[in-house]
Amino acid sequence: MIIKHLSEHKTFWFLTALGWTIFVAFLCLVNNNDLPSIGMKISGIDKVIHFLFHFIFTLLWSIYYFSKDKMLTPKRVIIIVIASLIFGVMIEWLQASFTLTRQADVLDVISNTGGAISSGLLVYHLLKKHFHSNT
């Protein structure tokens, strides 16, 4: 029921996934001093944020492709996960090459990878469950 409902709004999901991609790129490339601070430092919070960025990236693009094609294959999920990883590496390269207050961090790439793969596995599990319940 939920999966069928999600598939009816492909323009919404495309704009949401694209907006998320732009939002993540902006936050990762903007000057650190321009970002709001909550006044306390939590050790490792940036790694959690990177994980969530790519978890949501993979989830939103998966929902979009499901809404567009009315199906989502494991191969497509793998392609979306790989796209998330390439996007994350590209952001790290841009941080190292074109920003003054940011630097590339291999631990960010590892966090990105964890988020993308976790989301991909969740999507795959939901697809498997959905298609087995409809047969």
Side-chain angles (χ1 to χ4, degrees):
M1 176 86 162
I2 291 174
I3 290 179
K4 183 180 182 296
H5 181 69
L6 289 175
S7 70
E8 296 170 357
H9 305 286
K10 69 180 176 188
T11 302
F12 170 79
W13 289 113
F14 173 75
L15 293 174
T16 302
L18 181 62
W20 182 257
T21 302
I22 293 167
F23 175 72
V24 168
F26 172 77
L27 287 181
C28 290
L29 296 173
V30 70
N31 185 326
N32 279 346
N33 300 327
D34 293 340
L35 293 174
S37 174
I38 58 172
M40 65 178 174
K41 293 279 186 182
I42 301 172
S43 178
I45 192 71
D46 64 317
K47 304 311 175 228
V48 173
I49 291 169
H50 276 270
F51 180 95
L52 290 173
F53 278 171
H54 288 269
F55 184 93
I56 295 169
F57 176 101
T58 302
L59 184 63
L60 290 175
W61 282 108
S62 295
I63 292 170
Y64 163 68
Y65 278 105
F66 180 80
S67 71
K68 178 179 170 273
D69 300 333
K70 304 298 184 226
M71 66 175 295
L72 188 65
T73 63
K75 180 180 177 182
R76 174 72 79 172
V77 174
I78 291 169
I79 291 169
I80 294 167
V81 167
I82 291 170
S84 178
L85 300 178
I86 291 169
F87 175 66
V89 168
M90 188 173 70
I91 291 292
E92 294 301 314
W93 177 78
L94 289 170
Q95 285 178 338
S97 302
F98 297 105
T99 66
L100 298 175
T101 62
R102 300 289 187 135
Q103 59 187 21
D105 184 353
V106 72
L107 294 178
D108 288 347
V109 174
I110 292 169
S111 297
N112 299 345
T113 302
I117 290 173
S118 296
S119 184
L121 290 172
L122 173 67
V123 168
Y124 176 76
H125 174 73
L126 291 174
L127 288 173
K128 187 175 165 186
K129 184 177 178 180
H130 171 74
F131 288 113
H132 280 301
S133 68
N134 289 338
T135 57

Short mmCIF file of all heavy atoms in Angstrom, two decimals, residues 54 57 78-94 109 112-113 116:
data_model
loop_
_atom_site.label_atom_id
_atom_site.label_comp_id
_atom_site.label_asym_id
_atom_site.label_seq_id
_atom_site.Cartn_x
_atom_site.Cartn_y
_atom_site.Cartn_z
N HIS A 54 23.99 10.50 3.03
CA HIS A 54 24.03 9.51 1.95
C HIS A 54 22.97 8.42 2.12
O HIS A 54 22.51 7.86 1.13
CB HIS A 54 25.45 8.96 1.80
CG HIS A 54 26.33 9.99 1.18
ND1 HIS A 54 26.52 10.09 -0.16
CD2 HIS A 54 27.02 11.02 1.73
CE1 HIS A 54 27.30 11.13 -0.43
NE2 HIS A 54 27.62 11.70 0.72
N PHE A 57 20.07 10.33 0.63
CA PHE A 57 20.34 10.46 -0.80
C PHE A 57 19.93 9.18 -1.53
O PHE A 57 19.17 9.21 -2.51
CB PHE A 57 21.83 10.75 -1.02
CG PHE A 57 22.28 10.83 -2.46
CD1 PHE A 57 22.46 12.06 -3.06
CD2 PHE A 57 22.55 9.69 -3.19
CE1 PHE A 57 22.90 12.16 -4.38
CE2 PHE A 57 22.97 9.77 -4.50
CZ PHE A 57 23.15 11.01 -5.11
N ILE A 78 21.93 -0.79 -6.80
CA ILE A 78 23.40 -0.78 -6.78
C ILE A 78 23.94 0.44 -7.52
O ILE A 78 24.88 1.10 -7.05
CB ILE A 78 23.96 -2.10 -7.37
CG1 ILE A 78 23.65 -3.25 -6.42
CG2 ILE A 78 25.46 -1.99 -7.64
CD1 ILE A 78 23.91 -4.63 -7.00
N ILE A 79 23.33 0.78 -8.65
CA ILE A 79 23.76 1.96 -9.40
C ILE A 79 23.56 3.23 -8.58
O ILE A 79 24.41 4.12 -8.55
CB ILE A 79 23.02 2.04 -10.76
CG1 ILE A 79 23.51 0.91 -11.67
CG2 ILE A 79 23.20 3.41 -11.41
CD1 ILE A 79 22.69 0.72 -12.93
N ILE A 80 22.44 3.32 -7.86
CA ILE A 80 22.17 4.49 -7.02
C ILE A 80 23.18 4.57 -5.88
O ILE A 80 23.69 5.65 -5.56
CB ILE A 80 20.72 4.46 -6.49
CG1 ILE A 80 19.75 4.62 -7.66
CG2 ILE A 80 20.50 5.55 -5.45
CD1 ILE A 80 18.30 4.30 -7.32
N VAL A 81 23.51 3.44 -5.27
CA VAL A 81 24.52 3.42 -4.20
C VAL A 81 25.87 3.89 -4.76
O VAL A 81 26.55 4.72 -4.14
CB VAL A 81 24.63 2.02 -3.56
CG1 VAL A 81 25.86 1.90 -2.68
CG2 VAL A 81 23.37 1.70 -2.76
N ILE A 82 26.24 3.40 -5.93
CA ILE A 82 27.51 3.80 -6.55
C ILE A 82 27.48 5.30 -6.87
O ILE A 82 28.46 6.01 -6.65
CB ILE A 82 27.80 2.96 -7.80
CG1 ILE A 82 28.12 1.51 -7.36
CG2 ILE A 82 28.95 3.55 -8.62
CD1 ILE A 82 28.20 0.52 -8.51
N ALA A 83 26.34 5.80 -7.35
CA ALA A 83 26.22 7.24 -7.64
C ALA A 83 26.40 8.05 -6.36
O ALA A 83 27.06 9.11 -6.37
CB ALA A 83 24.86 7.54 -8.27
N SER A 84 25.85 7.57 -5.25
CA SER A 84 26.02 8.25 -3.97
C SER A 84 27.49 8.28 -3.57
O SER A 84 27.99 9.30 -3.09
CB SER A 84 25.18 7.55 -2.89
OG SER A 84 25.36 8.16 -1.64
N LEU A 85 28.18 7.18 -3.77
CA LEU A 85 29.60 7.11 -3.42
C LEU A 85 30.43 8.05 -4.29
O LEU A 85 31.31 8.75 -3.79
CB LEU A 85 30.10 5.68 -3.53
CG LEU A 85 29.38 4.67 -2.62
CD1 LEU A 85 29.92 3.27 -2.85
CD2 LEU A 85 29.46 5.07 -1.17
N ILE A 86 30.13 8.08 -5.58
CA ILE A 86 30.84 8.99 -6.49
C ILE A 86 30.57 10.44 -6.10
O ILE A 86 31.49 11.27 -6.06
CB ILE A 86 30.45 8.72 -7.95
CG1 ILE A 86 31.01 7.35 -8.39
CG2 ILE A 86 30.94 9.83 -8.88
CD1 ILE A 86 30.48 6.86 -9.72
N PHE A 87 29.31 10.75 -5.79
CA PHE A 87 28.94 12.09 -5.35
C PHE A 87 29.72 12.47 -4.08
O PHE A 87 30.27 13.57 -3.98
CB PHE A 87 27.43 12.14 -5.10
CG PHE A 87 26.92 13.43 -4.53
CD1 PHE A 87 26.98 14.61 -5.26
CD2 PHE A 87 26.35 13.47 -3.27
CE1 PHE A 87 26.49 15.80 -4.74
CE2 PHE A 87 25.87 14.65 -2.74
CZ PHE A 87 25.94 15.82 -3.48
N GLY A 88 29.82 11.56 -3.13
CA GLY A 88 30.55 11.82 -1.89
C GLY A 88 32.03 12.06 -2.11
O GLY A 88 32.62 12.98 -1.53
N VAL A 89 32.64 11.26 -2.97
CA VAL A 89 34.07 11.44 -3.28
C VAL A 89 34.28 12.76 -4.01
O VAL A 89 35.23 13.49 -3.74
CB VAL A 89 34.60 10.24 -4.10
CG1 VAL A 89 35.98 10.52 -4.67
CG2 VAL A 89 34.63 8.98 -3.24
N MET A 90 33.36 13.08 -4.91
CA MET A 90 33.46 14.34 -5.64
C MET A 90 33.37 15.54 -4.67
O MET A 90 34.15 16.50 -4.80
CB MET A 90 32.35 14.43 -6.68
CG MET A 90 32.46 15.61 -7.60
SD MET A 90 31.24 15.58 -8.94
CE MET A 90 29.74 15.91 -8.01
N ILE A 91 32.49 15.47 -3.71
CA ILE A 91 32.37 16.54 -2.71
C ILE A 91 33.67 16.67 -1.93
O ILE A 91 34.16 17.78 -1.69
CB ILE A 91 31.18 16.28 -1.75
CG1 ILE A 91 29.86 16.42 -2.49
CG2 ILE A 91 31.24 17.19 -0.53
CD1 ILE A 91 29.51 17.82 -2.94
N GLU A 92 34.25 15.56 -1.51
CA GLU A 92 35.52 15.60 -0.77
C GLU A 92 36.62 16.23 -1.62
O GLU A 92 37.41 17.03 -1.12
CB GLU A 92 35.92 14.20 -0.29
CG GLU A 92 34.99 13.60 0.74
CD GLU A 92 34.88 14.43 2.00
OE1 GLU A 92 35.91 14.88 2.54
OE2 GLU A 92 33.73 14.62 2.47
N TRP A 93 36.67 15.88 -2.90
CA TRP A 93 37.67 16.45 -3.79
C TRP A 93 37.46 17.95 -3.93
O TRP A 93 38.41 18.74 -3.90
CB TRP A 93 37.61 15.76 -5.16
CG TRP A 93 38.58 16.36 -6.13
CD1 TRP A 93 39.93 16.15 -6.20
CD2 TRP A 93 38.27 17.30 -7.16
NE1 TRP A 93 40.48 16.90 -7.20
CE2 TRP A 93 39.47 17.62 -7.82
CE3 TRP A 93 37.10 17.90 -7.59
CZ2 TRP A 93 39.53 18.51 -8.88
CZ3 TRP A 93 37.15 18.79 -8.65
CH2 TRP A 93 38.37 19.08 -9.28
N LEU A 94 36.18 18.36 -4.09
CA LEU A 94 35.89 19.79 -4.19
C LEU A 94 36.27 20.54 -2.92
O LEU A 94 36.78 21.66 -2.97
CB LEU A 94 34.40 20.01 -4.52
CG LEU A 94 33.97 19.61 -5.93
CD1 LEU A 94 32.45 19.63 -6.05
CD2 LEU A 94 34.60 20.52 -6.98
N VAL A 109 34.30 9.80 3.71
CA VAL A 109 33.99 8.87 2.62
C VAL A 109 33.51 7.54 3.19
O VAL A 109 32.56 6.95 2.68
CB VAL A 109 35.22 8.67 1.69
CG1 VAL A 109 34.95 7.60 0.65
CG2 VAL A 109 35.60 9.99 1.02
N ASN A 112 30.00 8.14 4.38
CA ASN A 112 29.13 8.21 3.20
C ASN A 112 28.81 6.81 2.69
O ASN A 112 27.65 6.49 2.37
CB ASN A 112 29.81 8.99 2.07
CG ASN A 112 30.14 10.42 2.42
OD1 ASN A 112 29.65 10.97 3.41
ND2 ASN A 112 30.99 11.02 1.62
N THR A 113 29.84 5.98 2.60
CA THR A 113 29.68 4.62 2.11
C THR A 113 28.74 3.83 3.01
O THR A 113 27.85 3.11 2.52
CB THR A 113 31.06 3.93 2.02
OG1 THR A 113 31.91 4.70 1.16
CG2 THR A 113 30.94 2.51 1.50
N ALA A 116 25.11 5.05 2.39
CA ALA A 116 24.60 4.63 1.08
C ALA A 116 24.30 3.13 1.06
O ALA A 116 23.24 2.70 0.59
CB ALA A 116 25.59 5.00 -0.02
#
